[in-house]
Amino acid sequence: MNKRTCLALVFCLFFLWAISSNLLPTMIRQLMKTCELNAFEASFTESAYWLAYFVCPIPIAMYLKRYSYKSGIVLGLLLAAFGGLLFFPASEFVVAQFFYNGGQTAINSLFLVYCCTYVGVEESLATPAYRN
């Protein structure tokens, strides 16, 4: 698989991950209706979502320093999958949301760095938009 095909695949996957992140407000409203939660109780779901962005980057960076970008992206996918599997019992929704977004944080943090490293900064700056 050449570099362009690989990056196109990763960009498409990144777009799908972004869609799942943008569904949070709709999901919270439906959760409030389904589980009969008030606004205060439903806010725990959103706070778990954003707390993962605050808590997860440092452990992810430590993992990245010890291993590689590819294994970091795989770790992010596994965390997101684990969080997705936790949604099935539906009793630990906030914990599931935290793990899912922890995986999203890993993917978002490592994606740009991996692409710049994989393609190379010089090669990406050689596109017509960046030429002098």
Side-chain angles (χ1 to χ4, degrees):
M1 185 181 301
N2 63 12
K3 289 182 181 182
R4 289 194 186 272
T5 306
C6 182
L7 286 176
L9 177 65
V10 173
F11 280 126
C12 290
L13 289 174
F14 189 69
F15 178 73
L16 292 174
W17 296 322
I19 288 174
S20 70
S21 297
N22 290 326
L23 290 176
L24 180 66
T26 306
M27 184 178 65
I28 289 176
R29 277 186 248 122
Q30 293 301 321
L31 181 68
M32 287 174 67
K33 289 179 187 176
T34 305
C35 298
E36 299 175 357
L37 302 174
N38 60 24
F40 179 72
E41 294 168 335
S43 68
F44 286 120
T45 303
E46 194 165 9
S47 59
Y49 184 85
W50 295 113
L51 185 67
Y53 273 114
F54 180 73
V55 172
C56 292
I58 293 176
I60 291 166
M62 291 169 34
Y63 182 86
L64 177 64
K65 189 174 183 179
R66 185 174 187 142
Y67 299 105
S68 68
Y69 295 116
K70 288 181 185 180
S71 66
I73 291 173
V74 169
L75 173 70
L77 289 171
L78 290 175
L79 275 173
F82 179 68
L85 289 175
L86 286 178
F87 281 110
F88 285 116
S91 61
E92 299 297 329
F93 191 78
V94 174
V95 175
Q97 188 68 36
F98 180 82
F99 277 105
Y100 178 75
N101 197 46
Q104 292 288 332
T105 303
I107 293 166
N108 291 340
S109 300
L110 298 173
F111 175 73
L112 181 61
V113 178
Y114 176 69
C115 287
C116 287
T117 303
Y118 186 69
V119 174
V121 176
E122 296 82 17
E123 188 176 328
S124 64
L125 292 177
T127 59
Y130 295 107
R131 288 187 187 153
N132 291 335

